[in-house]
Amino acid sequence: MAIDSKATIDLSKNPRDYWVVERRSRRAHDSTGFKMAYAKRKDPPAKDATRPSKKQKSSSATAPLAVLKAEEPAFPRGGASLLTPLEHKQIQIQAKNDVLFEQSTGQRAPDNEYPDDDNYNEGLDDNLNESTPKARNRPKIKNKRQTETQSIDETSVRIEGLSYRRLVPGSVVLGQVSQINRYDVAVALPNNLTGFVPLTAISAAVTEKAQKQAEATDEDDDQQNDEELDLKAYFSIGQYLRAYVTSTQTESGTAVKGKRHIELSINPRQANTGLKKSDLVTNGTIQATVKSVEDYGLVMDLGLEDASIRGFMPSKELGYAFSMADIQEGSVHLCLITAVASNGKIVKLSADAQRLGNIRKGSFVSDPPTVDSLMPGTAIEIMVTEVRASGIIGKAMGMIDVTADLLHSGAVAIEESLHEKYSAGSKIKCRIICNFPTVEGRKLGVSLLDHILTLKGSTLEQNAEAEYKMPQDILPISTIIEEARVVKVNPKSGLFVDTGVSGVLGFVHISMVSDLKIETLEQSIGPYKVGSLHRARIIGYNAMDGVFIVTFQAKVLAQPFLRFEDVQIGKKVKGTVERLLINERGVTGLILSISEGVTGLVPEIHFADVHLQHPERKFKEGSSVTTRVLSTNPEKRQIRLTMKKSLVNSDAETWNSYDNLRPGLEAPGTIINILSSGAVVQFYGSVRGFLPLSEMSESFIDDPRQHFRDGQVVNVRITSVDAGESRMLVSCRDPTLFGSAQQEAFQNLTIGSLVTGTISEKTAEQIVLELETPGLRALLSIEHLTDGSAQKCHSASKRLRVGQVMKELIVLNKQESKTLIRLSSKPSLVTAAKSGRLPKEFAEIVTNAEVQGYVHNITPMGVFVRFLGQLSGLLLKAHLPDDVAQLPDFGMRRDQSVSARILSIDDAQQRFLLTMKPGEDAVHKLQDPSSSDTNLSNPVDGVSKKIDDFTIGKLTKARITSVKDTQLNVQLADGVQGRIDVSEVFDNLDDINDRNHPLKAFQPKQVMSVRVLGIHDTKNHRYLPITNRGKSHVFELTAKPSNLTSADLNVLTLDKVQQGSSYIVFVNNVAEDCIWVNLSPNVRGRIRAMDASDDISLLKDLAGNFAIGSALKVRVTNVDIANNRLDLSSRLEQPERPSTISDLSVGMVLPGRITKVTERQLMVQLTDTLSGPVHLIDLSDDYLKANPTEFQKNQIVRVCVKHVDAPNKRFSLTMRPSRVLSSSLPVQDQEISSMSDLKIGDVVRGFVKNVADSGLFISLASNVTAFVRVSDLSDLYLKDWKATFEIDQLVEGRIVDLDPALSHVQMSLKRSQLDKDYKPPLKFNDVKVGDVVSGKIRKVEGFGVFIVVDGSANVSGLCHRTQMADRKISSPERLYSEGDSVKAKVLKIDEAKKQISFGLKASFFRSKQNNEEDENPLMDGSSDDERSNSDEAQPINNPHLNNNDNEMQEAKSDVDIDQAETVLPADTERNPQPDIPDEEQGLSTGFDWTGGLASKQF
């Protein structure tokens, strides 16, 4: 029924309706008027045409603006309208319907002005068919028929493609992994969308591993750490996954359009949302994560609400894409359900892509049990109910609407129409790719594309070599296509073009068709009609859609780079200075923009070839410069550039890979580090070379820093390169100066020959000579001028002049790699060379031969003597003369002449020893005192005659010569020594009177009975058999009563020691972490610090509490004969010591040794293989006492095992007294083990773990971290809130939110949340004229003082000097200073400028505070001292005081002088009074510039 708009809408009673009608009319005129007018005159409406719907009109294509101008004038003569009466009537009806809709529903009428940018199908109406273009111009029909058509349109199913606006949290989509980054995974989604899966949204196992890896950075290196988490080991490019949308947000990244970000989760707990036990059916799909890897297959976690349902995947079901060896626990896979156990608890899965995608052989759900089983990724069979030009509509299970949009129906790729390929009523197989949660009822999006049906990689191209390549490999991103042909036009969305790759089209969004804005496109007319050719550029590729993303925009085509990956190392590029990097040293770098979105860094050393004193004067923001690319790091989005002219303008080949380099190549490089031995030269990329000192110049260089500087560009030549080791040697020497003739002469020069040379250069240490052979240069050290002392050598050097000829110079050595020759003029060496006594090779070494050489190196053990070439001999300290052996460096210096004799030769090792002792060989010919015919002199026992009488087991007498802590030194006869180890004196611990000094009871010269055990080597302290006698050997004896009376000796050896047995031991040495003890003369054991005593206090000072020689009773804990290792314990209580992490249990209390102390934690070692951290929160029950720096390395402490993660070999410890001592001790900060220990409203304390841009992360436990938003940090505004907090700072807050599913804890640090009596700070709006407030002087200026109000949110104002006192003052600085406390009255408030004017005159307070004035009057005659002692001068602690000098200066500069004059009292300027220098009193008038600044901060 027709409705009269005038009768229905009374515009006189409701003026708003008039503006609504007018607005609707104008918008309809603007959006459709010109298009309809043009269409009407070009194609008159057919008589039998039906009236198009509103949607058809809004989506009708329009010709370009140029065509409109050519066909029709914009403003016809006489003011006539371009619209026909029919069109006016249509606009009027549209406006009326919109008003009625708004009046009846209270909502704005639907507006289709802004199409969805992400939808390929935008602009194609669902009812569109092949005759649609003609239907647009059909005449209007009757209202009844129009109503029927509209009702049909409303009930029909709308074909919708997935888009950013239709993608909401909770949506589930099928995606394909397109990029694997370090901290997230990019997933290609249908319809040109891309989502990102963060590291914490993959699986619980990956999240836990990432968290432990982050914590491992603070742990000790001794603890075993897992390898770094690499997401490339969990995913593969092209892998299909089901993704759950967790959030969609638009970031204001650019001025044109905000950057859209889609965050996904592939965790089965979200991806399988809605699935129940009854929904698990054969051939359905489910997402699962690997829980454990077994020998026979994988145990999978399905993430269902019923945790008892588990999945299992046999190893053969992995498919060719995966192998069991590479499968990681926590990896996620989209699996096919192959079977379900009868009880429904075990689900058999398959990840074989061929089986998943083989829908022809039944890998699809033919009879789904419930609608919830139809999840994205599942293949189903649907019945086609309608075929349209924009896609296909069907039904699943007979009741669920299913649509395939323009792209995923295959309409773009096929030549024939969809009507020819599909028909209503037919059944087809498809794969679900998304759902539409926002649509009323149930609706699914499906795809008919081959690569999605088969779950294979997107379209592949086969080349001539029969190799398959991905489309982006054939046509890389950033490639420019000279002629891209338009094959299909979507009027409101964009164009599909032929890219030249068979089977892969490109899509040009309407916003990327031109640099100008285009509203709509036409199929048959205009510059972008079907068949037109255009220059295009590839900017992306969507694997799910199988299409390239293309642009026609000229500005994009002109860009040199689109991505960081496109930038080539060594390329010369133009750039624009974007900003300067400045710190306290000045300008340290430049950020250049070399393309839109691509920036690079120019380090300070690459500004120019010379050092710039003021680079900021040369480089201004926006200026253009020419640079060359030094290196790129696309993963970190970093580019290093240089502006050095010598590099930018160089035509030399860029060295960016060692593989392409070879000796002889020349190129410029930059010195980045200068060493005493040379310099490191940087080229392009990661290529570096070392420039040796000898190759820096043809001239001699002593100190490289005197000739070179960091950042200097040098032209170098490669002398050697090792690509495998990434090493290269370069040279700055001119190769032409050392040609083939010089090379031949160098080779013919023999070591040891005598040459003549001319001095060309002379330094304090060396002389450079030109040899007779042209081009050969040699070095002569000053120390090699003569054989005398150093002073004599320097005196000889002073007599030499440049140009002087030196003869009889011996060639000591030559280095072919450096073409370096070293000479000597020492007479001893020259004479020895002439006589043949200067050896050059090892074969020339003869025992007892006298040789001449020079000192090459001096070590504590002896002197290395060098001869010719590299031949060296060792002169040990023992073989030096006694008079020089004790001198520092044995009285020698480098290059000193040495005359020695060959002592011994080792042919196998090619080594020989020298001696300088005369007749040393005779010493070895003397009679061995241990020989059988040696007679004893004055034996102690009076019986023995010869040394051979002292056999093993012989009882004899010995006289004590000295008493040591660990042994008794005794004498058996004159010149025959022996020792009794302390372990061979006592049989029982009770026999020892003083356990700290067991041998204290013995005295020198005391004679005691002993028994011979063997021989003791005094050099290496080894216990030897009796047959091994030598000059340095003494007899090993025993004085144990049991050994003296026993018939047979029972000498203890390591193989006789049994685990668990007890022994008496004696301390031999005390180390930082253990005590070394002797069980017998030849058995030594170790007591770990934790096992030394049950009293922890004794372990703090091992050396002080366990003296050398002291006696202990121990128990054997471990015997390792193979490694000659014995572990002991002297603890009375002998708990089982954990040897592996599986032996640890929560609550176990153990002693430990601190191995590392940091500001955040302690590392405590329990055993040799077990070390764990003690975090800040576990140090004390009161966090105020938690201070790791109070502990010291190697300190022994008592710890309790808090957490054990045996699979990952991790555990944590606690030192809380309530855990290690007694649970009844008071606890200030309760221990939090998990989120379950927290509840909303709890007040807890924690330590700041990280200060991020979004807020603070607070550590409440080792596995619980809370987040504090910036807005929850304080009730006050914190201008620089990051400066208020630091890592490890103790804070207190209240729990405001808990989400166990997401492991999210949120806190608030606001005092209003913690303090019940909290009073909010005073704000600007709370201040009223006439209020009397207290405050502090914030700043003192010549025109007045700035006052900040106490207890306020930084509310401050100005007291002009005219309002400071009842009389005029000239200098406020003489009355007040910063920090003084004052009482002020509010005189004026300017709310527009947020300014407050204060007054400090005494007259302002007399009427209200007479009593106070009587006690403390502020009179005109009062002195400064009296005022300073008044209440106004007393400092008040104000937490809101913020002395900001910058604000004060800004306030001072903004003072309105005109305004100041208008508020001055009339008698102040017109009748000025003389200044009163010392009796000035009072304050202020009102210009509160800081008050305005402070209020703006809120």
Side-chain angles (χ1 to χ4, degrees), residues 10 76 93 148 155 183 269 282 414 557 569 779 843 864 879 936 968 1057 1128 1184 1243 1265 1300 1329 1367 1388:
D10 190 354
I93 295 174
E148 293 175 355
T155 58
Y183 298 114
R269 297 185 183 277
T282 303
I414 60 177
L557 292 172
I569 296 177
L779 295 179
F864 287 91
H879 303 311
L936 296 177
L968 297 174
V1057 178
L1128 308 169
L1184 288 175
V1243 177
T1265 301
V1329 175
R1367 294 184 179 182
K1388 181 181 178 183

Side-chain angles (χ1 to χ4, degrees), residues 940 958-963 969-970 1002-1008:
V940 179
R959 182 182 295 108
I960 300 176
T961 58
S962 62
V963 180
N969 294 328
V970 299
F1002 297 91
Q1003 300 295 330
K1005 297 183 180 182
Q1006 179 180 344
V1007 178
M1008 57 189 306

Side-chain angles (χ1 to χ4, degrees), residues 846-1059:
V846 180
T847 306
N848 286 327
E850 294 286 341
V851 290
Q852 296 291 332
Y854 61 95
V855 176
H856 179 66
N857 192 18
I858 302 174
T859 65
M861 63 179 294
V863 179
F864 287 91
V865 180
R866 176 67 59 88
F867 303 96
L868 293 178
Q870 301 293 327
L871 185 63
S872 297
L874 176 59
L875 180 59
L876 293 173
K877 178 180 179 181
H879 303 311
L880 287 167
D882 296 336
D883 56 340
V884 300
Q886 304 303 324
L887 296 177
D889 291 339
F890 313 118
M892 297 185 180
R893 66 185 190 280
R894 291 196 64 177
D895 293 329
Q896 177 182 338
S897 301
V898 174
S899 178
R901 187 174 70 257
I902 307 296
L903 181 63
S904 64
I905 302 174
D906 186 353
D907 294 321
Q909 300 293 331
Q910 297 280 300
R911 296 182 300 189
F912 60 94
L913 294 179
L914 303 170
T915 179
M916 292 180 64
K917 282 188 175 182
E920 187 172 358
D921 55 334
V923 175
H924 296 278
K925 295 179 182 180
L926 293 177
Q927 186 179 24
D928 191 343
S930 62
S931 61
S932 59
D933 59 349
T934 302
N935 296 323
L936 296 177
S937 175
N938 298 321
V940 179
D941 59 2
V943 177
S944 302
K945 301 297 183 180
K946 297 181 180 181
I947 290 183
D948 287 344
D949 293 340
F950 296 127
T951 59
I952 293 180
K954 178 179 174 60
L955 285 172
T956 184
K957 296 288 184 178
R959 182 182 295 108
I960 300 176
T961 58
S962 62
V963 180
K964 304 296 182 182
D965 291 332
T966 59
Q967 68 180 24
L968 297 174
N969 294 328
V970 299
Q971 187 180 42
L972 299 177
D974 291 348
V976 181
Q977 307 297 327
R979 68 180 292 271
I980 306 173
D981 190 83
V982 66
S983 61
E984 293 295 330
V985 177
F986 306 98
D987 281 325
N988 299 307
L989 190 63
D990 296 335
D991 297 338
I992 304 174
N993 296 327
D994 187 353
R995 295 186 181 182
N996 289 331
H997 302 89
L999 300 179
K1000 189 177 181 180
F1002 297 91
Q1003 300 295 330
K1005 297 183 180 182
Q1006 179 180 344
V1007 178
M1008 57 189 306
S1009 298
V1010 295
R1011 198 170 187 179
V1012 178
L1013 292 178
I1015 296 295
H1016 179 82
D1017 189 346
T1018 57
K1019 286 188 175 181
N1020 52 28
H1021 302 285
R1022 290 171 57 194
Y1023 178 80
L1024 302 174
I1026 194 69
T1027 56
N1028 291 348
R1029 298 178 183 176
K1031 184 178 179 181
S1032 60
H1033 299 164
V1034 298
F1035 286 97
E1036 189 73 55
L1037 308 171
T1038 178
K1040 279 186 177 182
S1042 60
N1043 287 336
L1044 297 178
T1045 59
S1046 175
D1048 297 325
L1049 281 177
N1050 186 15
V1051 180
L1052 182 65
T1053 57
L1054 186 60
D1055 57 343
K1056 296 179 182 179
V1057 178
Q1058 299 294 325
Q1059 185 172 348

Side-chain angles (χ1 to χ4, degrees), residues 169-226:
S171 301
V172 184
V173 294
L174 180 65
Q176 191 176 6
V177 176
S178 60
Q179 187 175 352
I180 304 173
N181 304 317
R182 185 176 182 182
Y183 298 114
D184 59 20
V185 178
V187 178
L189 304 178
N191 294 81
N192 193 23
L193 296 175
T194 300
F196 294 89
V197 181
L199 194 65
T200 56
I202 298 174
S203 64
V206 174
T207 302
E208 185 178 3
K209 189 171 184 179
Q211 183 177 0
K212 291 182 178 180
Q213 178 178 313
E215 296 174 352
T217 57
D218 300 328
E219 297 182 359
D220 188 56
D221 296 336
D222 295 338
Q223 180 167 344
Q224 182 179 354
N225 294 329
D226 295 337

Side-chain angles (χ1 to χ4, degrees), residues 1294-1313:
R1294 186 180 295 275
I1295 305 297
V1296 297
D1297 188 22
L1298 287 173
D1299 190 346
L1302 299 177
S1303 299
H1304 177 72
V1305 182
Q1306 186 171 332
M1307 287 178 60
S1308 174
L1309 306 185
K1310 290 183 176 180
R1311 301 310 304 172
S1312 58
Q1313 294 278 353

Side-chain angles (χ1 to χ4, degrees), residues 324-569:
M324 286 289 292
D326 298 332
I327 291 296
Q328 301 286 333
E329 293 184 4
S331 59
V332 181
H333 301 272
L334 181 65
C335 305
L336 179 72
I337 300 176
T338 58
V340 182
S342 58
N343 58 1
K345 297 297 184 181
I346 302 297
V347 181
K348 192 175 181 180
L349 306 174
S350 174
D352 189 349
Q354 292 184 347
R355 186 169 183 178
L356 270 167
N358 195 358
I359 60 175
R360 294 182 179 179
K361 293 187 178 180
S363 294
F364 66 94
V365 178
S366 57
D367 188 16
T370 63
V371 296
D372 293 333
S373 62
L374 302 182
M375 298 287 290
T378 303
I380 59 174
E381 188 176 55
I382 65 171
M383 177 177 288
V384 179
T385 59
E386 188 176 356
V387 180
R388 301 177 184 172
S390 58
I392 296 175
I393 303 175
K395 290 284 186 179
M397 300 179 63
M399 59 179 179
I400 301 176
D401 293 326
V402 176
T403 62
D405 59 21
L406 177 69
L407 183 67
H408 285 273
S409 63
V412 176
I414 60 177
E415 296 182 357
E416 69 271 22
S417 65
L418 291 177
H419 294 85
E420 297 176 1
K421 188 173 182 179
Y422 304 101
S423 60
S426 61
K427 290 186 177 181
I428 59 174
K429 296 181 179 64
C430 57
R431 191 172 298 277
I432 304 173
I433 58 174
C434 66
N435 62 1
F436 298 97
T438 58
V439 177
E440 184 178 355
R442 191 72 178 234
K443 184 177 179 181
L444 300 174
V446 299
S447 176
L448 305 179
L449 299 180
D450 290 338
H451 66 275
I452 295 182
L453 289 175
T454 58
L455 290 183
K456 296 181 179 179
S458 51
T459 307
L460 301 176
E461 178 77 5
Q462 189 176 18
N463 59 12
E465 288 77 15
E467 295 180 357
Y468 286 91
K469 293 185 177 181
M470 298 299 292
Q472 59 267 37
D473 295 332
I474 301 173
L475 204 61
I477 297 175
S478 298
T479 302
I480 294 179
I481 306 174
E482 295 299 333
E483 292 186 349
R485 182 173 57 88
V486 178
V487 297
K488 191 177 289 291
V489 178
N490 193 331
K492 288 293 183 180
S493 179
L495 309 170
F496 288 94
V497 298
D498 183 4
T499 60
V501 179
S502 177
V504 185
L505 296 177
F507 176 71
V508 186
H509 192 266
I510 191 171
S511 63
M512 296 183 181
V513 170
S514 173
D515 290 332
L516 302 176
K517 184 176 180 181
I518 295 180
E519 297 291 343
T520 186
L521 301 167
E522 289 288 348
Q523 289 267 5
S524 57
I525 62 174
Y528 304 104
K529 63 183 178 180
V530 174
S532 59
L533 300 177
H534 304 273
R535 195 165 184 261
R537 191 169 193 174
I538 305 295
I539 61 174
Y541 177 76
N542 188 282
M544 282 294 292
D545 301 332
V547 296
F548 286 108
I549 311 302
V550 186
T551 181
F552 288 173
Q553 291 176 296
K555 63 179 182 181
V556 179
L557 292 172
Q559 289 183 17
F561 314 107
L562 297 183
R563 309 173 301 161
F564 281 83
E565 292 84 350
D566 300 336
V567 181
Q568 300 177 358
I569 296 177

Side-chain angles (χ1 to χ4, degrees), residues 1376-1392:
Y1376 293 96
S1377 59
E1378 293 183 13
D1380 288 350
S1381 176
V1382 296
K1383 185 176 295 183
K1385 183 176 183 180
V1386 180
L1387 302 180
K1388 181 181 178 183
I1389 298 178
D1390 189 341
E1391 295 184 358

Side-chain angles (χ1 to χ4, degrees), residues 559-565 567 573-579 581 590-602 627 629-634 636-642:
Q559 289 183 17
F561 314 107
L562 297 183
R563 309 173 301 161
F564 281 83
E565 292 84 350
V567 181
V573 297
K574 297 280 188 180
T576 303
V577 178
E578 193 170 275
R579 71 176 185 273
L581 302 180
L590 299 177
I591 300 298
L592 303 184
S593 175
I594 59 177
S595 185
E596 184 176 351
V598 181
T599 59
L601 169 68
V602 182
T627 67
V629 180
L630 288 175
S631 63
T632 62
N633 190 340
K636 296 183 178 180
R637 300 177 64 83
Q638 294 177 351
I639 298 175
R640 289 177 63 250
L641 307 170
T642 179

